[in-house]
Amino acid sequence: EVDERVAVLTRDMPATLCVPIARRDRVLGAMYLRSARPPGFDDEDLELVAAIAGVAATAIENARRVAALEKEAERLKSALAVEHTLVGRSEKMARIGEVIAKVARSDVTVLITGETGTGKELLAKAIHANSARAKHPFVAINCAALTEALLESELFGHERGAFTNALALKKGKLEIANGGTVFLDEVGELAPALQSKLLRVLQEHEIERVGGTRTIPIDVRVLSATNRVLTEEVAARRFRGDLYHRLNVVNIEMPPLRERRDDIPRLATHFLQRFASKAGRPVDGISDAAWRYLKQYDWPGNVRELQNTIERAVVLGSSAEIVPDDLPEALLDRGSPSAGAALDLHGAVRDTKIRAIHEAVRQTRNYVEAAHLLGVHPNYLHRLIRNLGIKTQLEHEC
Ligand SMILES: Nc1ncnc2c1ncn2[C@@H]1O[C@H](COP(=O)(O)OP(=O)(O)OP(=O)(O)O)[C@@H](O)[C@H]1O
Ligand SMILES: [Mg+2]
């Protein structure tokens, strides 16, 4: 500073006035004035410029604060938009909220992966609800629930007389969803012929009803979910690679509940309120001991299992609070393998399916008859066998 002043004086330069623009010890900038006319600046000038610098400092700081708040508000708003459907504020869920906000804006296909009960379908609904298609239908189709022929007519519809029971024209779900979103649940189970037809929908944006001759243009957004590793299905040539890439433009992986334990209290409270009011039973809360069990359990069935646990406790409990007695055995003795197995409903269902199929095939030594005995369509039996990975085991029995 001294050098500057000396320079001004000695070289007979015009006078200079410099005032910092500062707020609480933080210098944001400076106001720098030069005067060509003598006698330069006086104390009054200094006071005036200092006052202007003070106002400028406040204005700059406010502008910066507003910019930061606007950015934060934008982030929160996008996360909040899905808050009312997906409960949970763990870091992982917050990130999912941000991804939803981003993908909702466009029409990209999204493949949702994750363990059972993690909220894949709820996530699909949240994407739809936050998209420009929200006012149009959201149509969910479970690709594993029907035989190939039924699923085909369910998806694409059929013309009158297309097959024996086709007494009237029926619109398919893709057509019903026009303008909206189609959610293909368990998309990994789709039979090869339907995979090709779906690929055409994604590429050409048109469908043909079963037994129909004309193509119908449709405008749908496709979301899908699977708890299979689709890349493995592609490698094993059970799933078309080109379809996989079309479906998986964006992948969202729903994290299991045990990897976001912070969400357990909020979810449990949410379900408690919902089921207590549904059951018409006032339940004040959850006892400390019960909380400890809820928080330490691994939740193999994820959010669905937590939801069922709370519903059961509300219905079966008799005290004003949920206490450990109201919780299933499996939760209480953690570490007991038999308890874990008893609660893994999907595992139990899978075991039962395998046992029944083995028995039917052993008795009949023929897949068609075995399917008949089991009361399912042979196509479905084939799909089941493939999905359960028991084909080679069964070949010994056929
Ligand atoms: N974050 C969440 N907030 C509130 N409810 C949730 C949440 N996640 C899941 N649920 C509830 O848990 C249940 C299971 O969710 P959903 O059906 O979406 O799971 P999924 O991943 O599709 O399961 P599956 O693979 O078995 O089909 C539903 O009743 C859903 O409402
Ligand atoms: Mg589901």
Side-chain angles (χ1 to χ4, degrees), residues 117 120-121 183 185-186 225 304:
K120 295 188 290 295
E121 181 152 1
F183 174 56
D185 204 358
E186 312 219 26
R304 181 185 290 112

Side-chain angles (χ1 to χ4, degrees), residues 115-122 142 183 185-186 225-227 304:
E115 289 179 16
T116 181
T118 45
K120 295 188 290 295
E121 181 152 1
L122 209 56
N142 187 326
F183 174 56
D185 204 358
E186 312 219 26
T226 176
N227 39 33
R304 181 185 290 112

Side-chain angles (χ1 to χ4, degrees), residues 56 70-71 143 154 159 181 196 211 217 244 329 346 368 386 396:
E70 270 172 358
K71 212 167 141 201
C143 301
E154 201 55 27
E159 298 288 348
T181 305
S196 311
Y244 169 73
E329 280 297 309
H346 285 268
V368 176
R386 201 179 68 200
H396 300 296

Side-chain angles (χ1 to χ4, degrees), residues 214-230:
R214 67 195 177 96
T215 55
I216 302 163
I218 55 157
D219 164 33
V220 290
R221 194 229 186 124
V222 177
L223 304 175
S224 44
T226 176
N227 39 33
R228 276 168 183 279
V229 183
L230 270 192

Side-chain angles (χ1 to χ4, degrees), residues 27-314:
V27 178
L28 307 168
M31 288 188 78
Y32 191 85
L33 283 82
R34 309 182 92 183
S35 170
R37 281 181 290 121
F41 300 105
D42 57 16
D43 283 352
E44 226 170 277
D45 296 328
L46 178 63
E47 247 171 66
L48 178 66
V49 177
I52 294 171
V55 174
T58 310
I60 291 171
E61 203 179 45
N62 283 348
R64 285 189 184 168
R65 226 183 266 160
V66 166
L69 284 174
E70 270 172 358
K71 212 167 141 201
E72 175 72 359
E74 189 58 39
R75 197 186 64 77
L76 286 176
K77 207 163 68 194
S78 49
L80 267 179
V82 292
E83 198 75 60
H84 53 94
T85 49
L86 280 162
V87 177
R89 289 199 201 155
S90 59
E91 222 172 279
K92 292 200 173 183
M93 285 308 286
R95 223 170 299 138
I96 295 241
E98 284 165 23
V99 178
I100 294 174
K102 277 187 200 146
V103 299
R105 280 185 224 130
S106 76
D107 259 351
V108 285
T109 63
V110 180
L111 180 68
I112 306 166
T113 49
E115 289 179 16
T116 181
T118 45
K120 295 188 290 295
E121 181 152 1
L122 209 56
L123 172 69
K125 284 182 183 155
I127 294 174
H128 171 74
N130 288 284
S131 76
R133 297 175 175 268
K135 288 196 179 66
H136 298 280
F138 173 88
V139 179
I141 306 158
N142 187 326
C143 301
L146 299 168
T147 63
E148 186 177 335
L150 276 178
L151 182 61
E152 180 175 19
S153 102
E154 201 55 27
L155 278 169
F156 299 93
H158 58 70
E159 298 288 348
R160 184 165 172 238
F163 44 84
T164 323
N165 292 325
L167 301 177
L169 177 152
K170 190 184 120 187
K171 279 190 181 180
K173 290 203 165 168
L174 288 164
E175 208 177 327
I176 292 169
N178 207 2
T181 305
V182 165
F183 174 56
L184 301 171
D185 204 358
E186 312 219 26
V187 72
E189 316 304 312
L190 215 54
L194 294 183
Q195 290 177 25
S196 311
K197 289 193 98 176
L198 179 62
L199 184 65
R200 188 166 153 215
V201 173
L202 291 168
Q203 282 170 340
E204 318 288 340
H205 308 283
E206 58 188 30
I207 59 156
E208 217 167 273
R209 296 191 192 119
V210 176
T213 46
R214 67 195 177 96
T215 55
I216 302 163
I218 55 157
D219 164 33
V220 290
R221 194 229 186 124
V222 177
L223 304 175
S224 44
T226 176
N227 39 33
R228 276 168 183 279
V229 183
L230 270 192
T231 43
E232 279 174 15
E233 301 298 302
V234 172
R237 296 182 180 279
R238 284 189 294 261
F239 202 85
R240 289 183 67 131
D242 44 7
L243 178 60
Y244 169 73
H245 292 296
R246 283 268 178 181
L247 293 174
N248 189 40
V249 174
V250 172
N251 171 232
I252 304 181
E253 169 90 31
M254 285 303 278
L257 190 53
R258 65 182 171 281
E259 286 177 16
R260 45 175 163 124
R261 289 182 186 275
D262 305 358
D263 287 339
I264 293 175
R266 198 168 259 115
L267 279 165
T269 310
H270 167 77
F271 293 134
L272 181 66
Q273 282 164 356
R274 189 206 286 173
F275 293 121
S277 82
K278 191 173 143 199
R281 190 168 92 74
V283 187
D284 294 342
I286 298 173
S287 77
D288 290 347
W291 267 128
R292 274 196 294 280
Y293 286 113
L294 293 176
K295 286 179 190 166
Q296 74 175 10
Y297 184 57
D298 260 353
W299 301 108
N302 296 296
V303 182
R304 181 185 290 112
E305 187 184 2
L306 174 61
Q307 177 178 301
N308 293 346
T309 300
I310 301 292
E311 179 167 27
R312 177 183 183 275
V314 168

